[in-house]
Amino acid sequence: MLYKADTLVTEFKGRKVLNLTDFVIERKQIYALIGANGAGKTTLLNILAFLVQPTSGNLQFCGRDVSCRRKDLLDLRRRVVLVDQYPILFTGSVWKNVEFGLKVRGISKKQRERRADEVLELVGMQEFRSADAHKLSGGESKRVAMARALAIAPEVLLCDEPTANVDEENQKIILDILERINRENQTSIVMSTHYLSQIRRLAHHTLMLEHGMLVNAYRSSPL
Amino acid sequence: MDIFLDSLESAFLLLLACDPELMDIVAVSLKVSTISTLIASLVGIPCGFLIAYSSFYGKRLLLTCLNTLLALPTVVIGLLVYSFISRRGLFGSLELLYTQKAIIIGQVILIIPLVTSLTIAAVSRIDKRYRNTALTLGATQIQMALVIIKEARYGIGAAVIASFGRVIAEVGISMMLGGNARGFTRTMTTAMALEYDKGEFVLAVALGLTLMTIAFGINMLFHFFQGRAGIDAL
C-alpha cells in the first residue's frame, strides 16, 4: 500500500475543502482523480506531494505515518513529485531546469548531464536542451516539466491535469510518457483529469471526488 | 546664471585634472557608501525574504513600521547614533564618533528598512508556485529560498541600487557623525555643503557632477546586466 488516509480533513479559512475516509492508493498503479472544479483534486494532490499539511486525520505513506518534521518532510518529498497544471519553469535553460532536482540532491555534474539527456530524449525535447525555458510553448513547457520530474526517478508521479491547455500532438506525447514510465519503471501515478478517454486509456483505478469527499472509487482496465 | 556657468566650466577642469582633494572626497564617499550598502544588503535581503515568506502575528504592523522607517530623517538617525557613540554614550569608549565607521553605522540604519521593504516587494511578486515547484523537486528550505531570490534578482538588485543612491546622496548622517574632517570623513555631500557655506561653488558643482556621473554609471551598469528580461520583470 502506497498511501492510506483515515478521516483526513483539510480546511481552508474555516471551510472544509477535503474530507476523506478510508482512502487507499496502491503501488505501481495509475489512478485517475475526477471531479468538478473545486472538488478537492488539487488539494489532494498537494497533500500526497507533502506540500500541504492536512488539518486533521492520519496519512500513511508506505506503511508509515507522515510526520510534520521538516527533515522527514524533505525525505518524503524526495520520493514523490508533483507536476502542476500550469508548470513553473525556472529562469534559465531547459537543461538547467531538468537538472534542478538532481543538483539539490548533490548528484555529480557528469551524472546530471547523462540523466538530463536521457529524460529530455524520453519527452522528445533534446533539441531544446539549451533553449530559454521561458520561451517555450505551453505544450513544450509541460514536456520539460515532465522531464524535470522524471529526472529524479520518483516512486510516485502526481500530475494535476497533465494535458490541460495542450494541443492534441502534445497530449498524445504526454500520455505516452505516463503509460511508458508506469509500464517500464513501475512508477505509481496519480493524475487529475476531466477526460474520460484518458481514464479509459491509462487508469487502473478511478477516484471520484465531490465537495472534497470521495464519492466513488472503482477499478478499471486500461485499454 | 553666470556664476553657475563659470562654476561648471571650472568644475570640468577640476575633474579633468583629477584634482587630488576632489579624488580624496570621492574615494571616501564611495568607500563608506559601498560598505554600508553591502552590510545593509546582507541584513536586509534575508530579513525581507523571511518576512515575505513567513506568516506570523503582527506581520502587517511590522510592514507598517518598516514603511514608516523609510521616512526617517537622516538627522534623527544622526542624533540617535550620536547619543550612543558620543563620549558620554553607551559605546563612547569605542571612540567611533567622527570616524568613517560612525558614518557607516548611521547609513546602515538609514537603508536597512529600504532594502528590506523593497526585497519584500520583489519577493512577494514571485509566483508562490516557484516555492512549491522547488520543494516538490526535493529542494531544502535554503535551496528553495535561493530559487526565489534568483527569480526576484532584478527587484532585489533595484533595491540595492536604490539604497546605494540613498546613502551616497545623504548629508545629515555624514555631517553629524563624520564631522566633515578633510581627507578623512569628508564626503561629496558634506563637502558640497561646506563649499556652499563658503560661497565657493566650483568644488561644489564639480562634486555634484561627479555624484550624478557615479549614479548614472551605476544605473547603466545595472541595466546592462539585467538586459531586456530585467526591464520586463520590473
Side-chain angles (χ1 to χ4, degrees), chain B residues 170-192:
Chain B
E170 73 79 26
V171 60
I173 291 169
S174 302
M175 191 69 90
M176 292 172 78
L177 302 175
N180 199 18
R182 188 178 177 180
F184 187 53
T185 57
R186 183 163 297 173
T187 64
M188 285 192 276
T189 50
T190 56
M192 281 162 81

Side-chain angles (χ1 to χ4, degrees), chain B residues 62-73 77 109-110 113-114:
Chain B
L62 179 65
L63 292 175
T64 307
C65 290
L66 271 173
N67 289 334
T68 307
L69 288 174
L70 295 178
L72 198 62
I77 297 172
I109 294 170
L110 175 70
L114 185 63

Side-chain angles (χ1 to χ4, degrees), chain A residues 13-37:
Chain A
K13 290 183 178 170
R15 193 170 68 89
K16 211 176 265 187
V17 291
L18 203 64
N19 185 6
L20 295 177
T21 49
D22 206 18
F23 172 83
V24 171
I25 286 186
E26 301 285 352
R27 286 171 200 268
K28 303 175 187 178
Q29 304 281 298
I30 299 181
Y31 282 75
L33 283 178
I34 59 169
N37 290 335

